[in-house]
Amino acid sequence: MTVSRETPDGPTNEAIDRHLAEALPAGSLYAVGGRVRDDLRQAAGEIIETHLDLDYLVTNLTAERLLERLQSLGRIDIVGAAFAVLKLTLAGRTVDIALPRREQSTGSGHREFAVQSGPDVSLEDDLGRRDFRMNMLARALPSGVLVDPYGGADDIAHRRIDVLSPKAFEEDPLRMLRAAQFAARFGYAPTGQTLEAMTRSAHLTPTISPERIADELGKLLVKAPRPSTGLELLRKTGVLREFWPELTEGYGVEQNEWHAYDVWHHAMATVDATPPGDLTLRLAALLHDVGKPRTKEGPHFYRHESVGSEMAVQMLTRLRFSNEIVDDVSQLVAQHMFAADEALSDAAVRRFIRRVGLARIDRLFAVRQADVAGSGLPKRGDHNERFAERVWAEIDRKPAFSVTDLHVRGSDVIAAMVRRGLVDSGFRGDARVGEALHWLFEQVTDAPERNERTSLLLLLERYFDQHIERAALAK
């Protein structure tokens, strides 16, 4: 039987099953999709994720009759008339309900299909068009009888990923990315047939939209305990080279005595050493040394963090990741070689925090921790931990970390400029105001106790005295 799971909003899975079964003819309703697969995985002792997305299939009904049967349950939205997929919102939860369909590819890259749907298409035909055998499963409702025409349960029991047809990836190249994220998330191994088909279809990867690649890659990185499993599968089959060739450049590039692995395997060990759930952190760990192959000079990789930061921007932008992710990852890559030097002054520590950005500090230390773990060698000392403690202690003191933290504003600078006759009373500000505020910020960074309004106004007078004196000398 299906597993009942409480949801934050709305009815349980079982409650929705019951409402649908009561509204539809007996023997016509089936649960399909990842929920059925994961029920079997859970029964086998695997730890699974909660499924809030529910997919159903209804046989032996036309689209019109299906609409008639369901309209009393809640709001219905039709998604694509050709696919006859309905979205039913029932008591706050939205589920997908479809008629069986049969697809025949008429073009490359999952772009052109002849689609037939409705009561003339069998349940088995619909299941057979799905990506892998482990997903070609259905469960009759309300009886709970498993429908498994293609051996999906056996694949789950043996923890393998297999395709029904050798042309599965030609029909939809995105399935290659899905195979990688399932391998990484579930710890399943692709069969020889799957590997051969992926390798043969790798050249079709450019036909996949960048957004869809990023979506599957994101699932792999966010959800997998060991992302390296899926990334290595993409490298071995040639898929990774088609969308991120820069990352594959590290394979076989030896490092110095501080690393047991080449650049590629170090990146894999580093991303595996980060916890699941944080896409930005895992992307930064994956790409932190991506610039090394292009900067190698003997045992050295001069400025690889700067080169790598620029490469990360290009790689992430190409896959249409958000600007926030691009900015954060590129900065984490650029800053990951920071020196955990006990001799740094307090002001230097504050400048380090400013340079990295307060919001990125936690992730930067996590990248460093994973970088050390991914070296493949015993940890050397606790200097990184001591430096992190010092940084957090400084943050707890709440000094000014940006111009906005100053206890004066641009209006104070403008008032001082008007008072000194540097501008007229209608002045509304220009670059000189920002320059003055940044000068004050530097003084506060050196001595946080100066961030007090009276002290800052006195410092501002000194700034303009120096400014006027320099201007006079320049003449």
Side-chain angles (χ1 to χ4, degrees), residues 306-322:
S306 299
V307 173
S309 178
E310 295 171 2
M311 292 171 67
V313 170
Q314 297 168 4
M315 295 167 70
L316 296 171
T317 302
R318 197 158 67 234
L319 292 188
R320 315 270 174 85
F321 281 99
S322 70

Side-chain angles (χ1 to χ4, degrees), residues 305-306 309 327-341 344-362 364-365 368 387 391 394-395 400-403 405 438 441-442 445:
E305 66 275 19
S306 299
S309 178
D327 290 345
D328 284 343
V329 172
S330 64
Q331 285 302 308
L332 290 169
V333 172
Q335 301 296 335
H336 83 273
M337 290 295 290
F338 68 88
D341 188 351
L344 288 178
S345 67
D346 290 344
V349 170
R350 290 190 285 272
R351 286 190 170 85
F352 165 80
I353 297 168
R354 282 172 45 187
R355 185 173 67 250
V356 174
L358 193 59
R360 299 188 184 108
I361 290 291
D362 202 22
L364 184 63
F365 288 153
R368 171 61 62 88
F387 181 71
V391 168
E394 190 63 42
I395 291 171
F401 288 119
S402 70
V403 168
D405 294 329
H438 279 90
F441 185 36
E442 288 299 325
T445 299

Side-chain angles (χ1 to χ4, degrees), residues 31-226:
V32 293
R35 170 194 177 190
V36 180
R37 175 200 65 220
D38 287 353
D39 281 348
L40 293 182
R41 292 178 55 224
Q42 186 180 53
E46 295 184 46
I47 298 174
I48 66 168
E49 304 151 8
T50 299
H51 269 282
L52 297 181
D53 295 331
L54 299 182
D55 297 290
Y56 297 91
L57 203 66
V58 178
T59 61
N60 301 318
L61 282 184
T62 63
E64 293 75 17
R65 290 290 293 157
L66 180 60
L67 278 168
E68 289 176 10
R69 292 274 187 162
L70 297 179
Q71 60 186 0
S72 64
L73 295 182
R75 191 186 78 243
I76 296 177
D77 298 298
I78 300 175
V79 182
F83 278 14
V85 177
L86 310 178
K87 287 190 175 291
L88 170 66
T89 301
L90 188 155
R93 290 190 67 190
T94 299
V95 301
D96 285 358
I97 304 171
L99 298 176
R101 67 181 186 259
R102 184 186 298 120
E103 301 172 355
Q104 182 177 358
S105 178
T106 58
S108 63
H110 200 58
R111 293 179 178 177
E112 299 175 20
F113 276 87
V115 180
Q116 178 187 359
S117 66
D120 294 333
V121 181
S122 69
L123 173 63
E124 289 74 16
D125 281 348
D126 183 277
L127 295 176
R129 70 176 175 80
R130 298 170 189 265
D131 51 10
F132 307 110
R133 294 178 193 269
M134 67 176 180
N135 290 326
M136 297 176 182
L137 299 165
R139 194 176 289 282
L141 298 174
S143 70
V145 173
L146 183 69
V147 181
D148 181 16
Y150 302 108
D154 194 51
D155 277 7
I156 291 172
H158 290 88
R159 303 174 69 85
R160 64 188 175 221
I161 302 172
D162 196 23
V163 291
L164 184 63
S165 166
K167 294 186 177 181
F169 301 122
E170 296 175 26
E171 294 170 354
D172 184 0
L174 184 68
R175 290 171 174 170
M176 296 184 289
L177 276 297
R178 286 175 61 79
Q181 62 112 335
F182 285 141
R185 285 171 57 195
F186 302 165
Y188 284 18
T191 64
Q193 174 179 239
T194 302
L195 287 172
E196 183 180 347
M198 281 183 69
T199 303
R200 190 169 58 248
S201 300
H203 69 283
L204 296 173
T205 304
T207 68
I208 310 170
S209 72
E211 294 88 349
R212 296 182 83 196
I213 293 176
D215 184 54
E216 293 298 326
L217 190 61
K219 292 176 186 176
L220 188 162
L221 289 171
V222 169
K223 297 182 177 183
R226 292 173 54 84

Side-chain angles (χ1 to χ4, degrees), residues 5-26:
R5 301 185 182 94
E6 294 294 335
T7 65
D9 301 292
T12 63
N13 296 355
E14 274 192 345
I16 294 177
D17 293 348
R18 185 174 61 255
H19 285 302
L20 290 175
E22 290 171 352
L24 295 168

